[in-house]
Structure formats: structure tokens, C-alpha cells
């Protein structure tokens, strides 16, 4: 019996799937690139998992997907916060577009077994704007949403009244005034019933401090306490965010060692070709088993651009 138990203990790690953080680029035509976190017990053939859409702020905009890991839900997972859900984290080049975000949601829904009754959106700063714009545009898709130090840009915000929504903003925010969130609340009040809204004005809290919200277990407990299956979609108002919680948010975090990061676009996997006399994009594409269109995209160039001898062209 002891030998059998020993064998099971040895084999047990082989049965558990590893946590994965996967970079997805070019999956959606003219859409966002994104990271997708897959928890270790995810099994597409068994039960579905909740999905969280994380929207970053302006400082993480650009075309380097790795910087999306600097803070937020993905960074929280890497630092040891246990989140029992798939997490999708797209990267924007400018303000978030609700329709393009919905394309990301649809892609994940098509390729992974997610619980569409438990889809959540959370973001900060520009991501707070994106969260409110998305939830207002697709209120029947979002089980709950949380927006920190943001605002909104869509024409009507009445859809927000249908969503369990937690808005958090610091009164000492010099980057995005608390008045931006207040205007959202005022417009929701003009739309009617705001019983699903929680508005937390945090006295003396500045802009960057609210990033700590992503590292609190209660943030995800609050989100997961809601579902589209709830008959009245009542907001859970038993949670609070305090200065004490924010102060201790980074305590006891321990970086995960069993998180497998899959990114086929890292510098180490890139391949370059040195241009020789007589080379053309078509010739380089054929020699490297690729296409002119891909070469142009990788090198941010046009098909009509001239090549210089000695120039390095990325081919992978």
C-alpha cells in the first residue's frame, strides 16, 4: 500500500495541467493583441470557468504586449494572487473601443470553455473608462464590473444601471478627477434606479494607489459573487475598500514558480535577414517561407519601401 501511495504522489503533478499565460497576436483582424491566463485546473472537457476582462491604463498602451504584465490582474497572478478564472488582458494603442473589446470576448468564448454567465470587467484609469464604456454598451453580457479612477465616453450610460457596478475613485486623484466618476453616477441617477451601483469615494487617495485593488482577494470575491443567472442581478454590498486594505495589499505575495509563459514573439525567437544587393521583399519572403504582407507587418514598412544593402529585416 505504501508503494502505491508513493507512486501516486510522484505521478500526481503529471495529471495536473500547468498554469499558462499565453500571448495572442494577430488573432483578430484589425483587433487587439492580448494575454490570456489559463488556471491550472482548467479542463475544457469538464466544467467551464469564469472570465475576467482586464483593461489597462494609458501608460501600458503601445505595441509591446509584455508591458501589459506590469500591473493589474495578470501581474497579480504572476505575483501569487489566486484567481480561479481565465483572464484576458488586451493591449490598446489609444482609448478603448467597446466593439473591439467585444471581439476579444467573442474570440475567447469561441476558443475556450468559459461560463458566459460569469463574465466580469475590471479596469483602472483609461481602463476604468473602458470598463464603464463596455458595460454600458453590453450590459447583458457583463455579470459585474469594477472601475477605478475612470469615467465614460459613450453617448448613453443607462445600460450601467442594469449591471452590478463598483466605482472606486480617490479624492486626491490629480490625474483623473473624482468628478469624472461623479458625472457617471449623476448620469446613472438621471436614467433611473441605481440600486446596483456602489460608489466609493476614498478620501485622500491618489491615482496610482488604487492599482493595489488588483492585488486584493476581496476584489475577485466581489466579482465572483455575481452572475447573470441571478434573478434580480442585485449588487453585493457587503464588501468595502479601505486605506488599511490598500496598505496591506502587497503583503504575503509570493511569485508563482509554476506559471508557464508562452510567447512566440519574444526577442529570442525573432529571426532577421541581412539585405544583399538585388534583394526584394518578394525574394526575401520566398527564401524565408513567409509573405510580403507579413514582412511589412513585422517591420512596420510598406511594400513600396526601398531596401538598403546591409539592412536587417525581421522575417520571424
Amino acid at each position: 500500500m505504501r508503494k502505491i501511495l508513493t507512486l501516486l504522489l510522484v505521478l500526481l503533478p503529471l495529471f495536473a495541467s500547468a498554469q499558462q499565460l499565453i500571448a495572442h497576436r494577430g488573432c483578430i483582424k484589425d483587433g487587439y493583441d492580448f494575454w490570456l491566463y489559463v488556471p491550472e485546473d482548467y479542463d475544457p472537457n469538464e466544467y467551464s470557468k469564469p472570465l475576467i476582462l482586464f483593461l489597462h491604463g494609458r501608460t501600458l498602451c503601445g505595441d509591446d504586449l509584455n508591458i501589459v504584465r506590469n500591473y493589474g490582474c495578470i501581474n497579480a497572478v504572476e505575483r501569487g494572487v489566486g484567481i480561479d478564472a481565465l483572464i484576458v488582458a488586451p493591449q490598446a494603442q489609444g482609448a478603448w473601443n467597446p466593439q473591439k473589446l467585444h471581439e476579444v470576448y467573442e474570440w475567447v468564448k469561441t476558443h475556450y470553455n468559459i461560463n458566459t454567465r460569469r463574465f466580469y470587467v475590471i479596469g483602472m484609469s483609461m481602463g476604468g473608462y473602458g470598463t464603464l464604456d463596455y458595460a454600458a454598451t453590453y450590459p447583458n453580457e457583463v455579470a459585474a464590473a469594477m472601475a477605478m479612477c475612470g469615467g465614460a465616453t459613450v453617448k448613453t450610460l443607462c445600460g450601467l444601471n442594469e449591471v452590478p457596478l463598483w466605482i472606486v475613485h480617490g479624492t486626491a486623484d490629480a490625474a483623473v478627477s473624482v468628478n469624472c466618476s461623479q458625472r457617471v453616477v449623476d448620469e446613472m441617477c438621471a436614467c433611473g434606479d441605481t440600486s446596483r451601483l456602489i460608489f466609493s469615494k476614498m478620501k485622500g487617495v491618489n491615482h496610482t494607489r488604487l492599482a493595489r485593488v488588483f492585488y486584493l482577494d476581496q476584489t475577485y470575491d466581489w466579482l465572483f459573487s455575481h452572475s447573470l443567472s441571478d434573478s434580480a442581478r442585485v449588487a453585493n454590498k457587503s464588501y468595502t475598500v479601505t486605506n488599511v486594505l490598500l496598505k496591506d495589499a502587497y503583503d504575503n505575495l509570493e511569485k508563482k514558480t509554476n506559471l508557464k509563459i508562452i510567447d512566440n514573439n519574444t526577442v529570442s525567437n525573432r529571426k532577421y535577414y541581412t539585405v544583399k544587393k538585388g534583394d526584394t521583399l518578394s525574394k526575401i519572403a520566398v527564401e524565408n517561407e513567409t509573405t510580403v504582407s507579413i514582412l511589412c507587418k513585422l517591420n512596420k514598412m510598406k511594400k513600396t519601401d526601398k531596401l538598403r544593402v546591409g539592412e536587417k529585416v525581421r522575417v520571424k
Side-chain angles (χ1 to χ4, degrees), residues 98-133:
Q99 289 73 32
K100 290 177 70 174
L101 286 171
H102 198 61
E103 291 176 357
V104 174
Y105 170 60
E106 290 291 337
W107 188 95
V108 177
K109 187 168 68 171
T110 299
H111 292 83
Y112 287 82
N113 185 13
I114 65 167
N115 185 341
T116 56
R117 312 300 292 173
R118 304 183 66 203
F119 171 47
Y120 311 97
V121 187
I122 183 170
M124 173 182 170
S125 192
M126 188 184 85
Y129 275 85
T131 296
L132 293 172
D133 284 351

Side-chain angles (χ1 to χ4, degrees), residues 1-10:
M1 176 64 76
R2 182 174 295 177
K3 290 183 178 179
I4 294 175
L5 289 174
T6 301
L7 180 62
L8 286 174
L9 289 173
V10 172

Side-chain angles (χ1 to χ4, degrees), residues 150-216:
T153 62
V154 292
K155 290 182 179 180
T156 176
L157 297 178
C158 292
L160 292 177
N161 293 47
E162 303 173 35
V163 181
L165 173 63
W166 195 350
I167 297 175
V168 186
H169 213 128
T171 61
D173 193 328
V176 179
S177 170
V178 68
N179 293 330
C180 296
S181 285
Q182 185 63 59
R183 282 195 290 271
V184 172
V185 173
D186 292 344
E187 186 166 337
M188 290 178 65
C189 289
C191 291
D193 179 20
T194 58
S195 60
R196 297 184 179 94
L197 170 67
I198 305 168
F199 182 27
S200 300
K201 282 186 179 180
M202 301 197 67
K203 187 175 180 179
V205 172
N206 63 19
H207 189 75
T208 58
R209 193 164 182 81
L210 285 185
R212 295 175 176 236
V213 170
F214 295 111
Y215 303 86
L216 299 174

Side-chain angles (χ1 to χ4, degrees), residues 48-52 84-87 114-115 118-120 224:
S48 58
K49 284 281 188 183
L51 175 67
I52 297 173
D84 189 24
L86 277 78
I87 303 171
I114 65 167
N115 185 341
R118 304 183 66 203
F119 171 47
Y120 311 97
F224 296 154

Side-chain angles (χ1 to χ4, degrees), residues 8-166:
L8 286 174
L9 289 173
V10 172
L11 292 178
L12 188 58
L14 299 178
F15 297 133
S17 58
Q19 301 174 84
Q20 294 184 336
L21 182 58
I22 310 167
H24 291 278
R25 295 180 175 83
C27 296
I28 304 169
K29 185 179 180 181
D30 299 323
Y32 296 124
D33 294 336
F34 55 91
W35 285 104
L36 185 69
Y37 167 71
V38 182
E40 61 185 350
D41 63 345
Y42 168 76
D43 185 342
N45 299 313
E46 291 190 1
Y47 56 91
S48 58
K49 284 281 188 183
L51 175 67
I52 297 173
L53 171 62
F54 161 65
L55 303 180
H56 63 70
R58 191 170 300 280
T59 58
L60 303 190
C61 287
D63 57 6
D64 180 2
L65 195 56
N66 277 302
I67 66 174
V68 178
R69 296 164 55 192
N70 285 359
Y71 75 84
C73 297
I74 295 297
N75 183 264
V77 164
E78 292 193 74
R79 295 179 67 174
V81 178
I83 304 175
D84 189 24
L86 277 78
I87 303 171
V88 60
Q91 183 177 38
Q93 281 70 49
W96 291 108
N97 180 300
Q99 289 73 32
K100 290 177 70 174
L101 286 171
H102 198 61
E103 291 176 357
V104 174
Y105 170 60
E106 290 291 337
W107 188 95
V108 177
K109 187 168 68 171
T110 299
H111 292 83
Y112 287 82
N113 185 13
I114 65 167
N115 185 341
T116 56
R117 312 300 292 173
R118 304 183 66 203
F119 171 47
Y120 311 97
V121 187
I122 183 170
M124 173 182 170
S125 192
M126 188 184 85
Y129 275 85
T131 296
L132 293 172
D133 284 351
Y134 185 88
T137 306
Y138 300 98
N140 296 323
E141 303 275 7
V142 179
M146 190 171 188
M148 279 85 72
C149 50
T153 62
V154 292
K155 290 182 179 180
T156 176
L157 297 178
C158 292
L160 292 177
N161 293 47
E162 303 173 35
V163 181
L165 173 63
W166 195 350

